[in-house]
Amino acid sequence: MEITFYQELTTISLSGELLSDATCEKLLTASEIELLPLLDAAYQVRKTYFQNEVQLHILNNAQNGYCPEDCHYCAQANSATTDIEAYPLKPDTEILAEAERAYESGAYRYCIVMSGRGPSPKRVAHLAKLIRTVKARYPIEVCLSAGLVDVESAGILKSAGLDRLNHNLNTSEAHYPKICSTHSYQDRMDTLQAAQTVGLACCSGVIVGMGEGIDDLIKVAKALRQLEVASLPVNFFLPIFGTQLVETPTLTPDYCLRVLCLYRFLNPQAEIRVAAGREHHFRSMEVMALYPANSMFIDGYLNAEGSTASRTLEMIRDAGFTVKTNSDDTEP
């Protein structure tokens, strides 16, 4: 493929235009499209909006298990037989202590994640109080993932100082019934639109490798573009024993990197996070994810371990990137 092809990808993305579905499919499947120039084209878009900075997130699994939903990929689902440590919402003191550790570690954003369909009004008030306390004590952004949320609840959380509400679309509307039956794609979309109604920034992304087609990945990327999400986590499915979705996805490092490039071209201004599965599926090419993506988790995920913080920081710095801190400075 001529170099002008890759240059045009960058130009189209930076101009705010959308790549055609046919071009998107080619980026993921065509052998004549070489990976390194594709990564460079995506990097030119990433660099325009985020320079060489990497935002680090620490995830607090604040409530584990006891979930009535049947998301087929999740170890916390009511249908899962996975041996996990189930526990109710952690005490406030523990959540606040973990916020302090996140801040002191240099994380840019502290992500509080809770299992369940969605919070009750009483739980929303409790979370709002927690968020106010975290924001008063530490100059760190807070993201909350608490399930389905309506406009009233989103407004309360926004007023408390919540920076972002996370609710992943996970897959396309057409593929969604194959991964969950207790709620719909539209339920998830309604939550994101409720957040946007009150001016709350949204974090929403995808899980790659759940039996979806390439057209599903393209549709999700474009739906997230239409929503103008601020943050877009791209997860790569990790089979967990005991869940309904146990097939090992045929994901290669090359394909995973192409997916990240596609999502960068289609969502040029979004913080794109290479999330769960990066250590497993990218293998020796993990560091290359930083060319299209500008964000990652440190210290693991919900029910899967990740790399140690020290290894992640070393990888970032060795590649010449800098860590964006909660004081908006960068460290070498």
Side-chain angles (χ1 to χ4, degrees):
M1 193 69 70
E2 296 293 330
I3 191 66
T4 52
F5 171 80
Y6 304 100
Q7 292 171 340
E8 187 177 359
L9 292 174
T10 301
T11 300
I12 291 173
S13 182
L14 290 176
S15 70
E17 299 177 37
L18 275 177
L19 299 176
S20 69
D21 287 357
T23 298
C24 292
E25 183 174 351
K26 281 180 64 176
L27 297 187
L28 297 182
T29 62
S31 59
E32 65 268 24
I33 297 178
E34 299 175 71
L35 181 60
L36 289 180
L38 183 65
L39 284 166
D40 181 65
Y43 174 66
Q44 299 308 317
V45 180
R46 177 229 203 272
K47 186 169 69 170
T48 298
Y49 295 106
F50 301 100
Q51 296 78 49
N52 262 24
E53 293 180 340
V54 179
Q55 295 185 18
L56 297 179
H57 296 233
I58 286 186
L59 188 151
N60 178 5
N61 192 7
Q63 177 176 300
N64 197 45
Y66 304 114
C67 187
E69 306 303 292
D70 77 338
C71 304
H72 299 351
Y73 52 85
C74 184
Q76 301 184 55
N78 66 357
S79 55
T81 59
T82 313
D83 184 16
I84 62 171
E85 179 189 358
Y87 49 82
L89 186 65
K90 293 177 180 177
D92 290 4
T93 52
E94 189 171 342
I95 293 174
L96 293 172
E98 292 179 8
E100 181 180 16
R101 285 194 291 274
Y103 167 67
E104 290 178 347
S105 73
Y108 187 75
R109 190 168 289 109
Y110 177 52
C111 307
I112 304 171
V113 182
M114 298 165 43
S115 60
R117 182 175 177 85
S120 66
K122 182 178 179 181
R123 176 58 60 81
V124 169
H126 180 193
L127 291 170
K129 181 181 177 181
L130 268 173
I131 291 164
R132 287 192 189 93
T133 305
V134 172
K135 299 294 287 186
R137 292 185 184 181
Y138 313 110
I140 190 170
E141 289 203 1
V142 177
C143 180
L144 174 68
S145 180
L148 303 176
V149 172
D150 59 19
V151 172
E152 182 179 1
S153 296
I156 293 170
L157 296 168
K158 165 75 173 175
S159 298
L162 183 65
D163 296 289
R164 287 182 185 170
L165 183 75
N166 166 261
H167 202 63
N168 292 332
L169 289 181
N170 287 329
T171 193
S172 72
E173 185 170 16
H175 190 64
Y176 205 86
K178 297 180 181 178
I179 67 162
C180 184
S181 66
T182 50
H183 62 265
S184 67
Y185 176 93
Q186 189 58 49
D187 289 331
R188 288 182 173 263
M189 186 66 79
D190 289 346
T191 290
L192 295 171
Q193 291 171 342
Q196 291 185 328
T197 297
V198 301
L200 186 56
C202 290
C203 169
S204 185
V206 65
I207 304 175
V208 182
M210 297 193 296
E212 74 283 342
I214 286 172
D215 59 324
D216 295 305
L217 291 178
I218 296 169
K219 287 175 181 175
V220 179
K222 291 190 172 183
L224 294 168
R225 164 67 170 266
Q226 190 170 8
L227 286 166
E228 298 182 337
V229 295
S231 180
L232 199 168
V234 181
N235 300 277
F236 299 89
F237 177 62
L238 286 170
I240 298 176
F241 179 80
T243 63
Q244 292 188 62
L245 192 62
V246 295
E247 297 87 354
T248 302
T250 54
L251 300 178
T252 65
D254 177 273
Y255 183 75
C256 293
L257 288 168
R258 288 173 183 271
V259 170
L260 286 179
C261 289
L262 174 65
Y263 273 66
R264 172 55 71 200
F265 291 133
L266 293 177
N267 294 273
Q269 298 186 53
E271 173 200 336
I272 293 185
R273 182 157 54 263
V274 54
R278 66 176 167 88
E279 298 91 343
H280 178 79
H281 293 297
F282 287 76
R283 302 196 291 274
S284 62
M285 296 179 73
E286 182 184 349
V287 70
M288 304 303 288
L290 291 174
Y291 288 86
N294 66 297
S295 171
M296 58 177 49
F297 284 113
I298 53 175
D299 285 343
Y301 311 100
L302 286 181
N303 294 108
E305 294 183 357
S307 298
T308 63
S310 60
R311 178 191 174 280
T312 299
L313 291 169
E314 181 181 61
M315 178 181 70
I316 292 168
R317 293 169 177 145
D318 285 351
F321 292 91
T322 57
V323 176
K324 184 175 177 64
T325 68
N326 31 57
S327 60
D328 288 331
D329 295 324
T330 58
E331 57 179 274

